[in-house]
Amino acid sequence: FTILVLSFLMVGKSFAANSYSATLTPNNSKVSKGSEVKVTLKLSGIKVDGGLNSLIGTLKFDADILTFVEAKGLNGWTATYNEDNNKVAIDSGDATTEDKEIATFTFKVSESTSASTAALQFVNISGGNSSLDQEETISDVTTNIGITNSIAPSDNGDDNSGDDNTPTESPSTNN
């Protein structure tokens, strides 16, 4: 009977579901050509035995639209980018089970692009800690960045700079 109970407990542990999710959020939903955009990677819903203190993934982006500038760790995490294969290794000395922003990725938008959006993906994501038998993988994450010619509204020469058709006050004349 004891062997049966121990076997059941061991099998039960092997089916424990570790899970977490990630999101990518740009600091601006629309950026102008030639400017930089920072995209934050956040972990949430971390239900991993012992927490997470390492994450590996690959950044996918159109190099004709975006140029990688920098990877930076946040909140005690470090981020290392390998420009040969676009892999990112992010780690921390302390494992976490709390929702946390762990890195930012900075890109420069091409001045000559004709694209109106740029997709950024973080794929083949796996994370873990030293006590796990194998790293836990999660679904790829994507964000889209809108690209404009200019952030400032265009000046078409008239005093009514808005597109809301609000009448402007005209100077009064005395007859």
Side-chain angles (χ1 to χ4, degrees):
F1 176 73
T2 304
I3 293 173
L4 180 62
V5 170
L6 287 175
S7 296
F8 177 72
L9 289 174
M10 289 172 56
V11 169
K13 182 170 176 36
S14 67
F15 290 113
N18 286 324
S19 66
Y20 62 99
S21 62
T23 55
L24 288 172
T25 307
N27 63 337
N28 288 309
S29 60
K30 286 192 179 277
V31 295
S32 61
K33 294 177 184 181
S35 67
E36 289 188 350
V37 61
K38 287 186 180 187
V39 180
T40 301
L41 176 65
K42 181 178 180 179
L43 297 178
S44 57
I46 303 170
K47 295 180 177 68
V48 174
D49 290 338
L52 289 176
N53 71 346
S54 68
L55 193 76
I56 296 173
T58 303
L59 288 172
K60 288 179 71 176
F61 56 93
D62 186 335
D64 291 333
I65 303 171
L66 298 174
T67 301
F68 181 83
V69 175
E70 154 183 75
K72 184 177 178 183
L74 300 173
N75 298 312
W77 290 69
T78 59
T80 306
Y81 176 74
N82 181 331
E83 61 188 56
D84 294 332
N85 58 16
N86 293 339
K87 287 192 183 260
V88 179
I90 309 166
D91 57 12
S92 172
D94 298 318
T96 187
T97 56
E98 296 176 12
D99 294 0
K100 191 169 284 197
E101 293 179 345
I102 63 168
T104 59
F105 309 114
T106 304
F107 293 87
K108 182 172 182 172
V109 180
S110 170
E111 291 184 27
S112 61
T113 187
S114 60
S116 60
T117 61
L120 174 64
Q121 296 178 294
F122 193 50
V123 302
N124 303 321
I125 306 166
S126 61
N129 62 53
S130 59
S131 66
L132 293 176
D133 292 333
Q134 67 182 34
E135 292 188 331
E136 298 295 326
T137 59
I138 60 168
S139 299
D140 299 345
V141 292
T142 302
T143 191
N144 289 304
I145 302 159
I147 301 170
T148 63
N149 287 326
S150 173
I151 293 178
S154 63
D155 183 4
N156 58 8
D158 67 13
D159 291 342
N160 190 6
S161 59
D163 289 333
D164 61 358
N165 294 326
T166 304
T168 57
E169 189 175 302
S170 49
S172 61
T173 55
N174 292 333
N175 292 339

